[in-house]
Structures are given as structure tokens and as C-alpha cells.
Amino acid sequence: DTDLLSFEGLIPYTSHWIEFARKYQNLLIEIRTKSASFNRIRQLKPAAQVILAWSLSPAPIVRRYEKLAPRLESRLSAAAKAIECGWKVRLSLEPILKVEGWKEIYSHFIDEVFEVLPADRIYDVNIGAFRMSKEYYKKVSRMRTDTDVFAYPVEVKNGVVSYKDEYEIRNFIFSRVIQHCSKEKVFI
């Protein structure tokens, strides 16, 4: 319910935010989405004050954990159209999930992303490992015994649960992304 672009056909909040932002030169907003619905705002002129940010996950992760979200290919296609139309496009590679074979899965995924999207036209890339508030983690991990997401060792820092090896995970992804994209554009 927080992915405004996915609801654009019902309630045009994304369009309204873009038009609002366009009026204020000192404002910069990010519209984060997993949607493939870029065509719903394609008629709008790109706004310098707006970054369209696609949350991307590898196809096996999407199939297994994001069952109601659009496929990776659809998200990449939407992001590519936005780039072609002149929008600032951010890639949000998060949450990085530690699953069996995660290094191979994410390596292939990163190659796939940059086969479709021109690295030189990406505004920037955000990398984030799995994290969740301590209270929510307790609740969800008790309810969801059917998933391996909670099977790996975690630690709590400042009320946030993340993998014990989060630093290594993020650095591995960073090292793969900068093979395609300037490291000045990549944030972890």
C-alpha cells in the first residue's frame, strides 16, 4: 500500500507528487516502486526534482518471496522506459536476502540488470541487506516458519535486526555493481 506508482491507475498520487515537486526547485523526492506501471506516468515531462527508484531483486527471489510483485523483467523494462524518457532512475538493490547460493544468484542478477539498463544513465544505485525492526522481526519470525529468510544468524544493533555478516554481503554486492557502474554512483 505504499507503492504509489502501482496504484496510479486507481489514484493518481504519483502524478500529483511529481507536479507538486516540479514547483519547488529546492525539493528532491524519491518515488520508490516495484511496479511495472511506468506507462501510467509516461506522458509526464521528467521533473528534475524527482527520482524514480525501482526496488529490484533477482528473479529467483521475486518468484519465491515477492509473489505479488511484478517480475524482474517487467520492472527492468519499466525502468528502461523511464530512462529513455529522461527521468532520473535510481536502482535500489534491497533487501539483499541471504539464501542458498546467494552469491551466484546476485552475481547473475547484477549482470542481468546492467545488460538491460545503461549504467551510464543510471542516477545512482542503493544497496541494502535484509533488515527489520527488532519487534517486527520477533513477530514475523514466529509466524513465518515456512521460510528460510529467518534461518541465518542475525544480530541486533540499535533496535534493528540484520545478518551478522551484513557488511560482507553489502561489500560483495558493491564489488559486483562497480564492475558495471561508477563507484561514485553506488551507496551502501
Side-chain angles (χ1 to χ4, degrees):
D1 64 352
T2 60
D3 189 334
L4 298 181
L5 187 55
S6 68
F7 288 104
E8 187 69 9
L10 298 172
I11 304 170
Y13 286 147
T14 305
S15 300
H16 290 307
W17 273 111
I18 291 168
E19 294 308 323
F20 174 82
R22 199 182 301 281
K23 297 175 190 174
Y24 300 94
Q25 296 303 310
N26 294 328
L27 179 65
L28 182 64
I29 66 169
E30 172 190 85
I31 298 174
R32 187 166 296 195
T33 188
K34 289 184 181 180
S35 176
S37 299
F38 173 72
N39 285 337
R40 300 228 182 246
I41 62 167
R42 188 178 192 143
Q43 79 286 357
L44 297 177
K45 180 182 171 198
Q49 302 84 343
V50 176
I51 300 169
L52 299 178
W54 268 269
S55 291
L56 302 175
S57 297
I61 300 294
V62 172
R63 282 192 302 274
R64 190 165 180 183
Y65 303 105
E66 299 178 359
K67 293 180 181 179
L68 299 178
R71 298 172 315 139
L72 172 62
E73 298 81 9
S74 299
R75 294 184 223 177
L76 290 174
S77 175
K81 289 175 189 172
I83 291 168
E84 288 171 18
C85 290
W87 288 90
K88 292 178 186 173
V89 171
R90 169 176 289 147
L91 305 181
S92 292
L93 310 182
E94 63 177 331
I96 306 298
L97 295 180
K98 190 171 181 179
V99 296
E100 188 174 334
W102 71 271
K103 284 185 177 181
E104 294 79 22
I105 289 170
Y106 280 92
S107 291
H108 176 73
F109 158 67
I110 291 164
D111 291 342
E112 183 178 3
V113 166
F114 290 104
E115 284 173 12
V116 175
L117 302 177
D120 62 326
R121 296 192 53 205
I122 298 295
Y123 184 73
D124 61 20
V125 180
N126 174 55
I127 298 169
F130 169 80
R131 62 193 176 281
M132 191 178 285
S133 75
K134 179 182 173 184
E135 295 306 314
Y136 193 65
Y137 180 85
K138 281 183 190 176
K139 180 180 176 181
V140 174
S141 63
R142 276 185 259 142
M143 292 173 18
R144 295 295 309 269
T145 57
D146 61 332
T147 180
D148 57 351
V149 169
F150 305 107
Y152 293 91
V154 295
E155 62 185 2
V156 180
K157 288 183 184 173
N158 300 319
V160 177
V161 175
S162 60
Y163 297 126
K164 282 190 175 186
D165 55 351
E166 173 187 9
Y167 181 78
E168 293 91 33
I169 292 169
R170 286 185 298 141
N171 281 336
F172 175 81
I173 301 299
F174 177 83
S175 70
R176 293 291 293 125
V177 171
I178 63 171
Q179 291 177 13
H180 301 277
C181 189
S182 163
K183 69 179 175 179
E184 290 76 31
K185 290 183 171 188
V186 184
F187 301 92
I188 56 175

